[in-house]
Amino acid sequence: MSDKIKYVYSFDEGKKEMKELLGGKGANLSEMTSLGIPVPPGFTITTETCNLFYKNDNKYPEGAIEQVDEKLAELEKKMGKKLGDKDDPLLVSVRSGAAVSMPGMLDTVLNLGLNDGSVEGLSKKTGNERFVWDAYRRFIQMFGDVVMGVEHDKFEEQLEEVKKTKGVELDTDLNIDDLKKVVEGYKKVIKESTGNLFPDNPREQLQMSIDAVFGSWNNDRAITYRRLNDIKGLLGTAVNVQTMVFGNMGESSGTGVCFTRNPSTGENKFYGEFLMNAQGEDVVAGIRTPRTIEQLEEVMPDCYGQLVDIYKKLEKHYKDMQDMEFTIQEGRLYILQTRNGKRTAAAAIKTAVDMVNEKLIDEKTAVMRVAPGQLDQLLHKQIDPVAKKEAELLTKGLPASPGAAVGEVVFTAEKAHDWAEEGKKVILVRTETSPEDIEGMNAAQGILTSRGGMTSHAAVVARGMGKCCVAGAGDVKVNVKEGFFTVNGTEIKEGDIITLDGSTGELFKDKLRVIDPELSNDFAQLMGWADKFRKMGVRTNADSPHDSKLAREFGAEGIGLCRTEHMFFEGERIKAVREMILAYDLEGRKKALAKILPFQKEDFMGIFKAMKDLPVTIRLLDPPLHEFLPQDEKDIIDIAKGLDVSVEKLKQKIEDLKEFNPMLGHRGCRLVITYPEIAEMQTEAIISAACELVKEGQNVMPEIMVPLVGLKKELDFNAEIVKRVAEETIKKYGVKLDYKIGTMIEVPRGALIADELAKTAEFFSFGTNDLTQMSFGFSRDDAGKFIKEYIDKGIFEDDPFQKLDQDGVGQLLKLAVEKGRKTRKDIKLGICGEHGGDPSSIKFCHKIGLNYVSCSPFRVPIARLVAAQVEIEKE
Amino acid sequence: MSDKIKYVYSFDEGKKEMKELLGGKGANLSEMTSLGIPVPPGFTITTETCNLFYKNDNKYPEGAIEQVDEKLAELEKKMGKKLGDKDDPLLVSVRSGAAVSMPGMLDTVLNLGLNDGSVEGLSKKTGNERFVWDAYRRFIQMFGDVVMGVEHDKFEEQLEEVKKTKGVELDTDLNIDDLKKVVEGYKKVIKESTGNLFPDNPREQLQMSIDAVFGSWNNDRAITYRRLNDIKGLLGTAVNVQTMVFGNMGESSGTGVCFTRNPSTGENKFYGEFLMNAQGEDVVAGIRTPRTIEQLEEVMPDCYGQLVDIYKKLEKHYKDMQDMEFTIQEGRLYILQTRNGKRTAAAAIKTAVDMVNEKLIDEKTAVMRVAPGQLDQLLHKQIDPVAKKEAELLTKGLPASPGAAVGEVVFTAEKAHDWAEEGKKVILVRTETSPEDIEGMNAAQGILTSRGGMTSHAAVVARGMGKCCVAGAGDVKVNVKEGFFTVNGTEIKEGDIITLDGSTGELFKDKLRVIDPELSNDFAQLMGWADKFRKMGVRTNADSPHDSKLAREFGAEGIGLCRTEHMFFEGERIKAVREMILAYDLEGRKKALAKILPFQKEDFMGIFKAMKDLPVTIRLLDPPLHEFLPQDEKDIIDIAKGLDVSVEKLKQKIEDLKEFNPMLGHRGCRLVITYPEIAEMQTEAIISAACELVKEGQNVMPEIMVPLVGLKKELDFNAEIVKRVAEETIKKYGVKLDYKIGTMIEVPRGALIADELAKTAEFFSFGTNDLTQMSFGFSRDDAGKFIKEYIDKGIFEDDPFQKLDQDGVGQLLKLAVEKGRKTRKDIKLGICGEHGGDPSSIKFCHKIGLNYVSCSPFRVPIARLVAAQVEIEKE
């Protein structure tokens, strides 16, 4: 045997490190066995066997079946029972178990080994004939279903028939003879459905079950599950064959599930539930209400004491919270499974920090223990899950910005603002939002749009504000004029209350209970450790002093993207902005810009103060000018009046500025090429704000960023203006101020000529929203409609606006990093697209060597955590 | 000397092959000297000297000035005169001359060597004191201006003053004393302007002139010129110092310019003009009307005979049509310059073909002699240049599609169609065109739009139709409702006549005379030779049997892009298309598609017939569906009635399909992912059309192309449908048919993952219009407005929609070619964007190894010629 491949391992031959070969379940069963924990004996057929089975055209490798026979013989010997024995039969369970837990595969066959003969033996042995016949009929049903492929319903029909004949309602009302009839009927069902007899030979039963487990590795559901969860590189599944123990053999038997700590809160207290005289599935099924684990102490103090010893031993051994399954058979405790327990974000953090304090794990391990994506839960309001269960779900859109919101429906930004002033809580419902809606969005509790994707205007702005948003809810048909919307047949009027779940995209009727977020000290502790280990910087995208402060509280180390256009919409400024757009000539534009200057300067001073000693990247005006003009007939008339121009002139200007594809239109650095005075004003505002603070003794680090650059000359044209005005302004103030000029890489061509751009740019920031739009040719405002379809049809695995497309867009990033650094070794590289807050995208940014990521304030902790984890993983 | 670098060459030391070193002018002067042609002696300072001068911080390399002294001494010895001699002075001209002719540099200093002393000597020697003083004052003026940098106007003022004092109007009314006063005044001007004296020493005059020529190599104008004309790799300019001869020394002197053949027609007949008693500049200035060269035979028969001998000798020697300058000084003929003559397209072709017939050059040389860009002239109508001079130019837009058109203004496609039916010639004037306008565009003589760039809908369609189009004429403000447009203050009403020049973008009021194009036999002959030498294929973009036939006549070897959407607009089909869009479900869509099928099939049969034995690439439906729905209130009502749906429903659908950025919206392969039935119908139409013809014995080579692919799965989804339906259809017909499935590479991501795409695609066709749009982030429909500004401000050197952007977009093409071929060695690669008809872009396509280019029918000859030229150049 020694020179042959070992395909089968007894539970006393493996260990937890052999997960790849034995699967998670098998490895842990072995580990527990070697720890002396009472595990029902058994053996594991390796994942390698599965792999060779597939490679070998669905045939077992030579010797594998013989090894199963050997291990089975050993098991029989150990247990003193034989499979199918007429006097004292061995019963086993057969379970799949890959290295990664994988729903979608064949899971379990129980009670294997029963046949017409062994039923008699077992009945005699247990003295519980009814129990044995019930086990038999369950086995046939399970085997027929999962191994032989008979429809589940057919067995149910058969069972119903017997109950009907007998005139009873419950399974438990069936007596032994009834159960015998059921067994007979089940066998017939199998024969009729498959043409084959139910196999009477237990070895045949075992082989067919093993075959079925291996077969299920490549069924559609399993393949889909692996694809969706990006599970790659596994050999296959293992098969665990284990002696059966029964929790339903009377009042001294029972079964339960327990956690070594509370998986909801992380509290270090034994947690779980159990049922006496029951099988595992009964605990889960919820027909009987299980008891809490503490109550086991009263019922079976010995077993409880033993279980407590075991859980402590296991947690100490695994150094992580364990999720265990146990069965008590006639007063004897068996552990059937242990694994690292799933937990909420709060529990993950508390457990990790507690375990460091308990010296069970080190800080790095603690940092690795928290799944970054989970943090969102902690930072936002949540709908009470209990309330949700009973609520009326109207529809589901895209989960555009997490959190929960309750409020009265309004359809215009104005009304949102007005009602909010009156103290009402409102939800702004729009087909889509535009920059004009900013104030209304700010006033609302949450935003619902019927159009647009994850990076639509509504989504981006809402995330920036940390405000709940459901976008692209296509079923919602908004009728602004008449003040209602319909959704799947329900009409919701202005003033009606709805509830949004921005974390799931759900829209509910009426008001649901909402739970406020709370950040624990443990959270701060864990983030502190993360900061210690990470090397990549984390900045934030923030456009206001308020957001800047918030982001700084969340740990942002500067601003990676300060958009200046949102500032243009507030109060008096928008009027001046419109004046500028409508001006006949340079002089007129300059006059209007002069009015905006003091506002902008004030904005920047506020932001610089909030970001004292930290760098602040400010992007020059980006959107096309028509975004600042009204679209609505009524607004046009009002605004024309306010501006003292004719309605016709305003309309003509709106018409002139109209663009077919504004996304690819006259915006970003292109505006400055036409109107250099805009960049002049903005630079003056930025630099004079900085100079004022320098005068007050504050350290200010402005970085001026030119957007939408595709040509070196575009950048140079902009950079020259910025440099000239900056130098003039600094000279005027007579202070010393360092500032940087850089560019966004967001146009594919910008990435392609990054070596050229780096001659001028002192930093690059990857605008991956636009880069994704242009690389795919997807407008983020329009793609919402079909991206869902793309995901449904398997064209996309993920929405590339949520997870950075590493294969395509990623190539451009990599290229730009290489080219940029080739020209300018110390160029500062960051990302400020929405991807800066997505874990897998942050990992990619780390891999290609960016200096920092920048994301909305609420995502800053996520980014900090991921940045630490990639660093620790690298070690 | 032999081991030293030679910086200066006498005219008898060089030859024409030394152009790089001696400049074009110098090399040809040397060549003529060695041919024994009477060239005034002189010498050339090399371009290398210029190069070293700059490298050496504006100092001459060691020995260079000494070599000038030596050559000057040789020249003085040869001429028996000395520079500045008081009795018989040598006068010289100093001219720049790089290897490539380059306006923007210092051109010429004449009469150098005159000073207060030599004036006397020369007067004595020539006996013409007035002539000499006039020459002297001209020299000071020219020297002061170009060498010493004094403003030209200051000399003019001085001259005016003398004339005023004297009370005369003309220079010729000044006598010797007046001229002396002018000379005195000029010297004062120089002193006052520069602080320096006019240099009296002729050697100093010479040195300063040489310095100035070298200095002018790097003046702004010269640098700009080199940049704009992409002139790279030159060492610098040479300087030619040549003995002066005078054509203005009396009635036995004269000067002229001549061509060895007619540069307008190519006719093999001596051609040129001359003036007696005049200087070169007088011929050009146009104050006196020159006489034709034949008349010289009467005036100076000896000189004429000599000139005829010389021109024949030169043409035979240079094997190309020569453009010569000559001067007769007191009965003696001198040749001052010869170079290859510029010529019209017609002349270029005729000359090239004639010269092959005359056995002067071979076929390859003939092919190289025609500039491809010129061919456009030959293939389209032209406005009579004489008529143009007197016409009222209203504005200038983009030269979107070459040719000329005269017609009555109409503002709607419908009216264009109706009026054309009545036999009127119309010009369709629109803000922009959309696919709905196709019929009207087809009916019109030409198209004028106020928006959109070189690849806007109007431009692309017009070029495809070979129809004159001026696009993006921003000054044109169209008022469709009231039936007029205004342009720079002029109002043009419906029915008024205008004339368009699509080759220049000009718009004229009223009717101008138009000249029809005529293709000569020589053209056919030359294109035949081109085809013999080229290896890259040339296909056409054509959507109809008519265009296909036309393109085939122009030499297309198949269709590289057949757009199917245009076919959807004609007659009954558009109704069925709209039915499909408005259908509630799959069944409804299929019913509508079934109505379109027979039309599509017929379309394809016509095209396949026209392209018998040649490949035809058909692109599946590309535009977003909303393009097929009406936008106009009135149209909506009419169409709703015609379709028997409510106006509301139609409006709702229009609203539902509205997109923010249709360019990046739900179109191309994305449509098929939502509506597979569209690809099913189109494939059935294509393949059944092909099968019908195969049954008739024709060879058909359909290639089905999937547009807008950015993901492999998009392509696969489409390709699977095409394959399935194609196989079914072929089976139904029971014939043998080979077809190919490929994709357009037009989305940047498509290029980035070309290796993946090539696993499925049997061919790629680069859609460089969209690829340019997305790589730059420029919408072609919107960029028209600012691209012009970009070019004006030097941000762009060329419109990237006209000339492929090799540095940026070109990188993606190269990458895709490499990746595509890596996966599939024999993948067929072509380009079908508008760039397929642009010479520099075609060269790039050849360089990166494309198999073919595809362009609009009228550009096919250009592409054939360029493809031949790159092949010949490679040799």
Side-chain angles (χ1 to χ4, degrees), chain B residues 273-534:
Chain B
E273 46 192 28
F274 72 100
L275 278 173
M276 293 311 287
N277 195 13
Q279 279 193 304
E281 58 201 70
D282 300 329
V283 181
V284 186
I287 298 166
R288 287 159 62 193
T289 306
R291 293 196 263 176
T292 62
I293 199 71
E294 290 94 339
Q295 291 176 297
L296 185 62
E297 192 167 12
E298 293 158 34
V299 182
M300 306 202 84
D302 285 355
C303 284
Y304 181 76
Q306 205 187 343
L307 187 61
V308 168
D309 289 346
I310 288 170
Y311 98 69
K312 287 188 172 160
K313 191 174 186 176
L314 280 174
E315 189 181 271
K316 206 167 164 188
H317 184 72
Y318 281 97
K319 297 181 198 303
D320 199 357
M321 186 231 281
Q322 294 299 298
D323 166 1
M324 299 149 61
E325 287 174 23
F326 66 90
T327 287
I328 300 168
Q329 178 176 312
E330 295 176 320
R332 206 167 150 195
L333 176 72
Y334 295 95
I335 307 295
L336 298 183
Q337 170 147 323
T338 191
R339 56 183 169 188
N340 295 336
K342 293 214 186 305
R343 61 206 84 176
T344 63
I349 290 169
K350 180 160 173 50
T351 306
V353 174
D354 282 353
M355 284 188 177
V356 171
N357 292 337
E358 293 161 20
K359 301 209 185 333
L360 205 56
I361 58 174
D362 63 9
E363 294 169 358
K364 284 185 183 172
T365 308
V367 167
M368 294 304 293
R369 284 279 166 85
V370 181
Q374 285 190 308
L375 290 188
D376 254 349
Q377 283 178 27
L378 288 182
L379 304 172
H380 295 95
K381 289 184 180 181
Q382 302 253 276
I383 298 178
D384 181 346
V386 179
K388 223 178 191 181
K389 271 187 194 160
E390 289 153 17
E392 185 178 341
L393 179 66
L394 293 171
T395 188
K396 213 170 156 179
L398 295 169
S401 180
V406 180
E408 295 181 38
V409 168
V410 291
F411 294 104
T412 65
E414 258 182 324
K415 198 156 266 182
H417 179 259
D418 294 348
W419 286 22
E421 293 256 299
E422 292 169 20
K424 287 184 188 168
K425 299 198 164 186
V426 299
I427 302 229
L428 180 60
V429 180
R430 310 265 309 154
T431 304
E432 66 268 341
T433 63
S434 74
E436 294 180 67
D437 297 326
I438 297 272
E439 275 200 79
M441 293 172 76
N442 198 30
Q445 300 296 309
I447 296 120
L448 167 66
T449 70
S450 58
R451 280 209 193 158
M454 291 294 293
T455 53
S456 62
H457 178 265
V460 172
V461 172
R463 280 198 292 275
M465 291 175 171
K467 198 166 292 257
C468 165
C469 174
V470 172
D475 294 336
V476 170
K477 309 280 178 196
V478 180
N479 188 328
V480 179
K481 229 191 257 169
E482 299 182 30
F484 68 88
F485 71 84
T486 59
V487 50
N488 296 321
T490 305
E491 186 176 307
I492 305 280
K493 290 197 203 66
E494 187 174 78
D496 288 353
I497 290 185
I498 57 172
T499 301
L500 298 181
D501 188 335
S503 310
T504 61
E506 290 163 314
L507 164 63
F508 297 97
K509 213 176 162 210
D510 302 327
K511 175 180 176 159
L512 304 195
R513 205 178 86 80
V514 163
I515 306 164
D516 280 327
E518 205 180 324
L519 288 187
S520 62
N521 289 336
D522 290 335
F523 175 79
Q525 174 69 271
L526 189 89
M527 294 312 297
W529 293 332
D531 289 345
K532 209 160 67 179
F533 302 127
R534 74 183 159 89

Side-chain angles (χ1 to χ4, degrees), chain B residues 417 435-440 442 565-579 595-596 599 603 628 639 642-643:
Chain B
H417 179 259
E436 294 180 67
D437 297 326
I438 297 272
E439 275 200 79
N442 198 30
E565 49 270 23
H566 296 163
M567 305 173 183
F568 277 36
F569 278 97
E570 285 167 39
E572 273 302 293
R573 319 167 175 204
I574 183 66
K575 210 180 138 187
V577 172
R578 285 169 178 158
E579 270 174 40
K595 291 185 195 168
I596 308 171
F599 292 115
D603 293 330
F628 299 102
I639 286 163
L643 290 173

Side-chain angles (χ1 to χ4, degrees), chain B residues 57-160:
Chain B
D57 209 13
N58 291 4
K59 279 191 211 86
Y60 287 92
E62 213 190 302
I65 289 185
E66 289 73 17
Q67 289 188 32
V68 171
D69 288 335
E70 280 167 32
K71 289 295 165 188
L72 180 61
E74 274 178 34
L75 182 63
E76 289 176 332
K77 197 170 155 201
K78 185 176 216 163
M79 301 305 294
K81 298 167 191 252
K82 273 191 171 325
L83 208 60
D85 194 84
K86 284 200 168 82
D87 297 320
D88 186 9
L90 174 69
L91 298 195
V92 296
S93 65
V94 176
R95 294 177 214 245
S96 66
V100 174
S101 160
M102 199 182 303
M105 272 169 52
L106 184 158
D107 195 28
T108 305
V109 179
L110 297 177
N111 302 342
L112 189 140
L114 284 173
N115 58 20
D116 293 349
S118 60
V119 160
E120 303 299 331
L122 194 64
S123 300
K124 226 174 346 179
K125 185 80 191 170
T126 60
N128 189 342
E129 196 179 355
R130 196 195 172 282
F131 156 75
V132 174
W133 275 98
D134 191 48
Y136 189 26
R137 73 101 190 158
R138 281 172 194 261
F139 167 54
I140 299 174
Q141 180 173 351
M142 198 177 258
F143 188 90
D145 175 5
V146 300
V147 177
M148 298 187 76
V150 178
E151 273 175 50
H152 183 73
D153 286 350
K154 295 201 171 158
F155 294 111
E156 288 301 320
E157 282 164 21
Q158 185 61 37
L159 186 64
E160 282 308 309

